[in-house]
Amino acid sequence: IVEEQCVFTMTAAGYIKRTPASEYAAQGKGGMGKKGITTRDEDYVVDVFTGSTHDSILFFTDTGKVYRKKGYQIPMAGKTAKGTNIVNLLDFEPGECVTAMITVDDDFSEEKNLIMVTRGGIIKRTNLAEYRPTRKGGKIALTLDEGDELLFVRCTDGNSELLLTTRNGMAVRFIESEARVMGRTARGVRGISLRGDDYVAGVCLVEEGKDLLCITENGFGKRSPFDDFRIMKNRGGFGVTCYNLTEKSGKLTGVAAVDDNDDLM
């Protein structure tokens, strides 16, 4: 099987596809964009990421389970195609849906960790090697509180710094060692405290020489130096404001670590 870089796209209704990265051409900011997928009424794209056909893709669901497929096992489709429903590829429980996907190489190194963050601000750090063997029906990735759901998963080297942001524009930065490594089925610890109906809207790894990009629901965005956010020695606080949101901007919907050389989708 030829190794090539692909763009993997997943919608809220569970349609997934892979498209060669070469089909996407860079464009200037502020434009209307080009059609990247055809969706049904009320469906929308929830995740876009790049990976190799030889990578393993870990699929994490809202119920806290994890499933695994190789990149080449995701059916190829053109830029404007709808894709294949994930239920035809993975043995899900009724009502279960994918909320996070990551690509990992096949060594499943014991030197790497997976950081999981829930909607309610719980964070858990687990050794990547815990997820090497997989079952057809998936494995438990973490134990969730009632009403909570797993939203974000990141792969780290054990010495990374994390920035958690919320829908109402709050952010907290801390070193991942503040959350000790736990077993595969553990619940995790408090990563950020939330007020009212606020919830976690973005997670990124702090990278040297890069800035924090924030994007809002109505299409506004800004870049801020990571130095604007002081490292907290005790995770779990309410954090500081990362975006002064208005009715015009809408709520915060996503963040990423970027520099001038990055292409963004």
Side-chain angles (χ1 to χ4, degrees):
I1 295 172
V2 176
E3 181 170 11
E4 65 174 339
Q5 283 295 113
C6 296
V7 175
F8 296 87
T9 309
M10 169 79 84
T11 75
Y15 287 90
I16 188 171
K17 66 174 183 175
R18 68 179 165 95
T19 305
S22 57
E23 287 200 20
Y24 293 91
Q27 305 158 54
K29 72 171 180 63
M32 291 295 291
K34 295 182 179 179
K35 197 165 188 66
I37 190 169
T38 299
T39 57
R40 293 182 174 182
D41 291 345
E42 299 182 0
D43 196 11
Y44 53 93
V45 175
V46 293
D47 207 350
V48 177
F49 65 96
T50 59
S52 162
T53 48
H54 289 194
D55 286 341
S56 287
I57 304 176
L58 298 180
F59 297 88
F60 296 84
T61 69
D62 55 346
T63 61
K65 292 179 71 176
V66 58
Y67 300 79
R68 177 182 168 195
K69 283 285 184 185
K70 297 286 285 185
Y72 63 79
Q73 293 177 305
I74 307 302
M76 175 135 6
K79 270 198 312 183
T80 59
K82 182 176 66 176
T84 302
N85 201 299
I86 194 72
V87 297
N88 297 321
L89 305 176
L90 300 173
D91 192 14
F92 281 167
E93 297 288 332
E96 195 174 11
C97 66
V98 173
T99 55
M101 301 181 291
I102 64 166
T103 57
V104 295
D105 51 34
D106 264 359
D107 64 358
F108 280 81
S109 171
E110 295 187 2
E111 297 176 359
K112 294 181 180 179
N113 295 316
L114 287 184
I115 299 286
M116 299 172 215
V117 182
T118 74
R119 178 187 177 95
I122 300 298
I123 181 173
K124 193 188 88 162
R125 185 161 69 117
T126 305
N127 196 287
L128 178 60
E130 295 261 9
Y131 301 92
R132 184 182 291 112
T134 55
R135 305 186 188 97
K136 183 181 179 183
K139 299 174 70 171
I140 295 173
L142 84 166
T143 300
L144 291 167
D145 295 338
E146 186 174 351
D148 203 0
E149 58 181 307
L150 176 61
L151 291 186
F152 301 97
V153 181
R154 300 288 184 268
C155 189
T156 67
D157 60 7
N159 301 302
S160 300
E161 294 178 17
L162 295 159
L163 192 83
L164 275 57
T165 60
T166 75
R167 184 170 182 264
N168 288 338
M170 303 301 291
V172 64
R173 175 184 176 182
F174 57 90
I175 301 170
E176 71 168 280
S177 57
E178 288 284 311
R180 64 180 177 84
V181 175
M182 297 183 176
R184 182 172 54 83
T185 60
R187 168 187 177 270
V189 295
R190 173 65 56 188
I192 187 171
S193 295
L194 305 169
R195 295 183 176 96
D197 61 353
D198 202 7
Y199 59 84
V200 176
V203 176
C204 73
L205 301 182
V206 178
E207 298 182 49
E208 189 71 31
K210 293 199 173 189
D211 298 321
L212 174 69
L213 172 74
C214 295
I215 300 293
T216 70
E217 291 174 330
N218 294 336
F220 287 81
K222 70 163 188 170
R223 286 168 60 178
S224 307
F226 279 115
D227 289 344
D228 285 357
F229 304 93
R230 181 171 52 85
I231 298 176
M232 296 187 65
K233 295 301 180 186
N234 296 310
R235 51 158 178 76
F238 288 102
V240 297
T241 301
C242 68
Y243 208 124
N244 288 315
L245 300 169
T246 64
E247 190 173 327
K248 183 179 179 181
S249 68
K251 299 292 188 179
L252 189 67
T253 190
V255 296
V258 301
D259 64 22
D260 290 340
N261 299 314
D262 283 327
D263 282 342
L264 303 174
M265 296 184 68

